[in-house]
Amino acid sequence: MESKNDNDARCDYNDPESVVRAFIAAMNQWERDAWQAMRAVCDSDEPASYQAETLRKLHAVFAAYCTSRKRPYGRQGSFQNPPEYDPQNETVQSSSVEKSRASVDTIRNAILAGGRHRYILHRQAGQWRIDNVKHEHDGNWEISIL
């Protein structure tokens, strides 16, 4: 089993907002690490050598905070610099819980992929897990890639 990452210590799986905050922080760290790993080998004989470990770490983040399901249009290892996810630039605005489903709305201050986001969580095995995320576009909520 994957060891817990540093954000798990700050994550209360009984609180949907805490799960979203921890996920954002974990993805931020993953993107930063992926960027550094890619830069470290970009001029080497094997510039793709960082990818397997980077994907393993991405899967560990999803295993820690997201529902277990197939995501055919998922992130698939993509990252950017500066990171898309940034706990300094994405803040929780509100949340609601209805039985085993919750939504957490955030505001992301970013040039790319900025604006309002809505994380949809499901309660599984007594813990809140992120199932998907949507972003607001022209007053409508559209599915985004986690």
Side-chain angles (χ1 to χ4, degrees):
M1 172 138 203
E2 183 67 36
S3 63
K4 291 189 174 248
N5 78 44
D6 294 337
N7 295 302
D8 281 346
R10 295 174 283 182
C11 184
D12 176 357
Y13 286 95
N14 291 311
D15 177 9
E17 289 183 16
S18 181
V19 173
V20 168
R21 284 187 190 102
F23 175 75
I24 291 168
M27 286 298 292
N28 177 268
Q29 187 62 55
W30 174 79
E31 284 189 280
R32 290 177 185 281
D33 291 348
W35 183 262
Q36 288 177 353
M38 180 196 69
R39 298 293 302 151
V41 299
C42 68
D43 293 328
S44 73
D45 291 340
E46 295 185 43
S49 62
Y50 75 97
Q51 291 176 343
E53 180 66 9
T54 296
L55 281 174
R56 185 192 69 74
K57 289 179 179 180
L58 176 63
H59 294 307
V61 171
F62 273 67
Y65 303 108
C66 298
T67 57
S68 176
R69 69 177 179 93
K70 189 170 179 104
R71 300 176 196 280
Y73 304 106
R75 179 160 296 272
Q76 301 188 15
S78 67
F79 55 88
Q80 63 189 40
N81 187 36
E84 176 181 352
Y85 288 93
D86 186 345
Q88 301 301 313
N89 292 316
E90 186 168 1
T91 56
V92 171
Q93 300 295 300
S94 63
S95 62
S96 65
V97 175
E98 189 173 315
K99 297 183 181 177
S100 62
R101 186 175 188 272
S103 65
V104 176
D105 290 353
T106 67
I107 296 287
R108 185 181 294 171
N109 295 314
I111 295 170
L112 295 174
R116 292 183 60 198
H117 288 75
R118 177 168 287 162
Y119 293 83
I120 305 300
L121 296 88
H122 294 198
R123 194 155 180 86
Q124 293 182 336
Q127 295 183 334
W128 288 106
R129 298 295 179 132
I130 298 169
D131 191 60
N132 65 67
V133 66
K134 300 175 181 183
H135 72 279
E136 187 180 43
H137 180 72
D138 292 334
N140 297 310
W141 290 104
E142 298 177 358
I143 293 288
S144 291
I145 294 174
L146 277 171

